[in-house]
Amino acid sequence: QVQLVESGGGSVQAGGSLRLSCIASQFPYGRYLMAWFRQAPGKAREGVARIDHDGSTNYADSVKDRFTISQDNAKKSLYLQMNNMKPEDTALYYCAARFAAWYGGPWDAGYVYTYWGQGTQVTVSS
């Protein structure tokens, strides 16, 4: 069973930065898709960014040019660098993984992913 553990959450003022990390207990050698999701109180979960085995990325419009997703396969890790943060970025952030080929479709649909972390809280104050 693959485990994903997030860290790096915390409180920051608007305009500040945080870097989230997600460590996987296992990392595949084949195709995979990993992503960050978030869920704010009273709102639906939304996809923030995704990256796949060849480094291709996608971002939600709300975080483009502010957030950067990256990975370090040797460290079995996924990262999310968040800059110029806004109060609306406040949410519980989850790491998600699909350790199988992804043939297109909505990268930000939860059903695409098999494994999920427990989440790390991010709070941005104005």
Side-chain angles (χ1 to χ4, degrees):
Q1 181 71 11
V2 176
Q3 292 185 327
L4 303 175
V5 180
E6 303 97 334
S7 62
S11 297
V12 65
Q13 289 190 328
S17 299
L18 282 175
R19 187 190 194 213
L20 304 183
S21 299
C22 171
I23 297 178
S25 59
Q26 301 175 40
F27 220 78
Y29 291 101
R31 297 183 175 188
Y32 62 85
L33 182 65
M34 297 192 75
W36 289 97
F37 284 77
R38 66 186 181 186
Q39 187 166 21
K43 294 189 177 181
R45 183 177 60 192
E46 64 171 342
V48 176
R50 70 93 177 171
I51 189 166
D52 65 17
H53 59 280
D54 67 4
S56 298
T57 59
N58 280 107
Y59 294 90
D61 288 343
S62 59
V63 306
K64 279 180 182 177
D65 300 323
R66 298 190 299 120
F67 290 11
T68 302
I69 189 171
S70 62
Q71 60 191 352
D72 185 332
N73 292 5
K75 295 182 179 179
K76 303 179 184 178
S77 295
L78 179 73
Y79 305 101
L80 185 68
Q81 178 66 44
M82 305 184 291
N83 298 329
N84 190 22
M85 297 183 72
K86 304 176 180 180
E88 50 264 44
D89 294 323
T90 295
L92 188 61
Y93 282 71
Y94 297 92
C95 172
R98 174 187 175 92
F99 290 163
W102 174 61
Y103 298 105
W107 66 268
D108 56 350
Y111 66 80
V112 170
Y113 302 88
T114 309
Y115 305 105
W116 293 82
Q118 294 299 307
T120 185
Q121 178 66 39
V122 171
T123 302
V124 185
S125 58
S126 56

